[in-house]
Amino acid sequence: MAASSATLAQYWTGIPWGLLLALCAVAGFGMPLVWWLRQRAASWDQREHAVESTIRSALGAGSLPRTGDSTLQLFGVHRAPLHMTYLTRTAHAEIVTTLQTGEPTLLLGHAMAGKSRLGAEVVRQHYPELPLVVPAPPRGLAQLFGAGGSPMRTVIWLDDLERYLGDDLFRVEWLDRAIHAENIVVATMRSGPYEQFLPHGDVQRSQWELLERFRPVWLHANPDERRRLAGMIDDPRMRAGVLRYGLAEYLGGAALAIERLHAGESEHPLGAAMVRAAADWRRMGLDGVPEPVLGRLARRYLPEPGRRTGADRTARAIEWASELIDHTVALLEPTAGGWRAFDPVVDHIAAEGRPVPDSAWDAALRSAGDRLIAVCHAAAAVHHRQDIAERAWRRALQRHGDTAILTARLLRDLQGSAPDASWWTDPPSLPDWLQP
């Protein structure tokens, strides 16, 4: 523009000097203005990038999903292999009341207490229209609020809050700013890390000032609630599991147990083989497998080079398979008769469609004792192994020859019976079709 003004002044006689001065002024102020706009645009781009890179729930272009449309996995809920409709927990109403007061809420409990699922269901039911903000740990909150971002009227979800509590990663003023902007702040935390942040003696952790701003809601084991929830379940296997372990513990433990089994097949092959052998033991109509039988049978589940194992390896394998997962469930559980495979693991292995090997059938027939009738039923009605069913029937007939109900008609009746994939949860001592 300055060059154009000089050219005009040279070739255009009579040009108003005011116009020349105006053009020069525009040129003088325009260059720094353009520079400032470029810096401003770069700042906007940086802020948008910070939002998209630090918020897991961001859909791109600065948009966020509605809470009611978000998946449970976005809230950090583990995918359970057992499908179950959400059952309202006792603490549901307490969480709703706390959130209505505007206070940030912290759900506390052991590793598989159902904190994430419960909190996710509450916000999805009661705040479905609000956008969902899930900061990426550990620096998501620091980058979001540190970049000047301040969500307004959203659900801010902080699963496993301890991941955000490093030095200068979550400040009290950021939480106050979030609450002032009418955000719904919900966090979960395991009881172990929470205890570590408690003040000890004269030492008060800086993070405790932040944790004190949250209203805690504890999820403790409650036998009455366990019975109430189990009474709402139709599936007898699932109902028995909930009664024994608890709802969240049973569902969450199922997922972790199956993952542990698959991981162990590489790192602990003998232990994983023991789990599969114990699961097939239950599929054959039996319950707990004696430890000596389990040790011998598990080797048949290994490739030929790995079948030679010593007593020390067997002991280590049982120790790994029976180790509690998050202090709740284990792949193998001790029983009066030996070792029993965890229910969901049995279901998972059965769903894989692998047939029970003949070596397992042979071991079952040798060890079944008075459970031969259950093995006979499993072989014929569930696995369609009529040869095994006949062997079991003949053994039972030899041991209980005075029992008139064991007749040749048994196998014909079994061949026409409908398979029942759930019977091994509680193998019958004497099926209805064998009643005299």
Side-chain angles (χ1 to χ4, degrees):
M1 295 181 69
S4 301
S5 301
T7 303
L8 287 175
Q10 186 175 3
Y11 293 101
W12 183 11
T13 58
I15 183 173
W17 285 101
L19 177 59
L20 292 176
L21 292 175
L23 290 173
C24 291
V26 170
F29 287 104
M31 291 183 64
L33 177 62
V34 170
W35 177 86
W36 180 83
L37 289 175
R38 291 180 63 183
Q39 296 298 319
R40 187 68 173 174
S43 175
W44 291 335
D45 290 342
Q46 182 181 6
R47 181 174 300 180
E48 182 176 350
H49 174 72
V51 170
E52 293 183 358
S53 62
T54 60
I55 299 180
R56 284 183 172 178
S57 53
L59 299 177
S63 64
L64 297 170
R66 297 193 317 162
T67 299
D69 298 333
S70 301
T71 64
L72 290 174
Q73 284 69 39
L74 190 55
F75 289 90
V77 179
H78 296 292
R79 187 185 300 274
L82 306 174
H83 175 72
M84 179 182 292
T85 304
Y86 174 70
L87 302 178
T88 304
R89 304 280 298 272
T90 304
H92 187 111
E94 180 183 356
I95 298 172
V96 172
T97 302
T98 302
L99 293 178
Q100 288 175 346
T101 64
E103 294 182 274
T105 303
L106 177 60
L107 308 185
L108 293 161
H110 60 267
M112 286 187 288
K115 306 178 294 295
S116 301
R117 178 67 187 273
L118 175 57
E121 293 292 349
V122 169
V123 296
R124 292 205 309 174
Q125 290 181 21
H126 297 274
Y127 304 96
E129 300 297 328
L130 295 185
L132 177 64
V133 174
V134 183
R139 306 193 60 83
L141 281 169
Q143 292 174 353
L144 178 62
F145 285 89
S150 182
M152 296 186 63
R153 289 197 54 77
T154 68
V155 172
I156 300 179
W157 178 262
L158 305 173
D159 195 39
D160 291 332
L161 181 60
E162 64 272 15
R163 297 182 296 172
Y164 301 91
L165 295 182
D167 293 336
D168 206 34
L169 295 180
F170 193 178
R171 300 178 183 176
V172 174
E173 54 266 30
W174 295 345
L175 180 61
D176 293 340
R177 191 195 309 174
I179 297 301
H180 183 72
E182 301 181 6
N183 293 285
I184 303 297
V185 182
V186 184
T188 69
M189 194 173 188
R190 290 177 291 122
S191 52
Y194 182 80
E195 184 179 3
Q196 295 177 2
F197 287 111
L198 291 174
H200 297 284
D202 296 333
V203 179
Q204 183 168 348
R205 293 179 177 270
S206 59
Q207 291 89 348
W208 180 245
E209 180 184 3
L210 178 66
L211 290 175
E212 280 188 311
R213 300 295 182 97
F214 285 85
R215 172 70 68 88
V217 176
W218 283 94
L219 302 183
H220 294 296
N222 187 331
D224 293 334
E225 181 185 47
R226 183 178 299 184
R227 288 189 291 268
R228 178 180 66 83
L229 296 176
M232 301 168 63
I233 302 172
D234 296 330
D235 189 319
R237 290 176 298 165
M238 201 169 292
R239 182 169 59 249
V242 171
L243 279 173
R244 184 173 184 179
Y245 303 102
L247 176 63
E249 292 81 355
Y250 182 67
L251 296 179
L256 295 179
I258 292 171
E259 292 298 324
R260 182 178 176 85
L261 171 63
H262 290 310
E265 289 179 333
S266 298
E267 299 297 326
H268 303 275
L270 181 58
M274 286 184 171
V275 176
R276 289 191 172 275
D280 282 348
W281 198 259
R282 297 191 60 192
R283 295 173 65 197
M284 293 184 293
L286 303 174
D287 192 44
V289 51
E291 185 169 322
V293 177
L294 178 61
R296 293 191 299 268
L297 181 59
R299 294 177 176 86
R300 308 296 298 178
Y301 286 74
L302 294 172
E304 186 65 37
R307 290 184 177 180
R308 295 183 179 180
T309 57
D312 55 337
R313 284 193 59 196
T314 300
R316 290 198 302 269
I318 291 180
E319 181 181 0
W320 171 83
S322 60
E323 183 180 358
L324 289 179
I325 304 172
D326 276 334
H327 310 286
T328 306
V329 300
L331 295 172
L332 291 182
E333 304 166 332
T335 66
W339 293 99
R340 181 179 187 271
F342 184 37
D343 291 355
V345 173
V346 179
D347 294 336
H348 174 73
I349 291 176
E352 291 179 342
R354 299 186 186 183
V356 177
D358 287 344
S359 57
W361 285 113
D362 293 339
L365 292 176
R366 290 193 299 267
S367 306
D370 58 358
R371 306 295 295 173
L372 279 167
I373 297 300
V375 176
C376 178
H377 175 248
V382 179
H383 300 277
H384 305 292
R385 290 293 304 269
Q386 302 302 327
D387 57 329
I388 301 296
E390 184 173 357
R391 288 173 57 189
W393 170 70
R394 292 188 181 278
R395 284 177 180 258
L397 186 62
Q398 292 173 359
R399 297 183 181 182
H400 310 285
D402 56 343
T403 306
I405 60 173
L406 291 173
T407 65
R409 189 180 58 191
L410 170 61
L411 291 182
R412 294 197 302 269
D413 294 340
L414 284 175
Q415 288 174 355
S417 61
D420 179 10
S422 64
W423 62 271
W424 58 69
T425 298
D426 186 18
S429 57
L430 194 62
D432 295 338
W433 39 265
L434 280 179
Q435 296 292 343

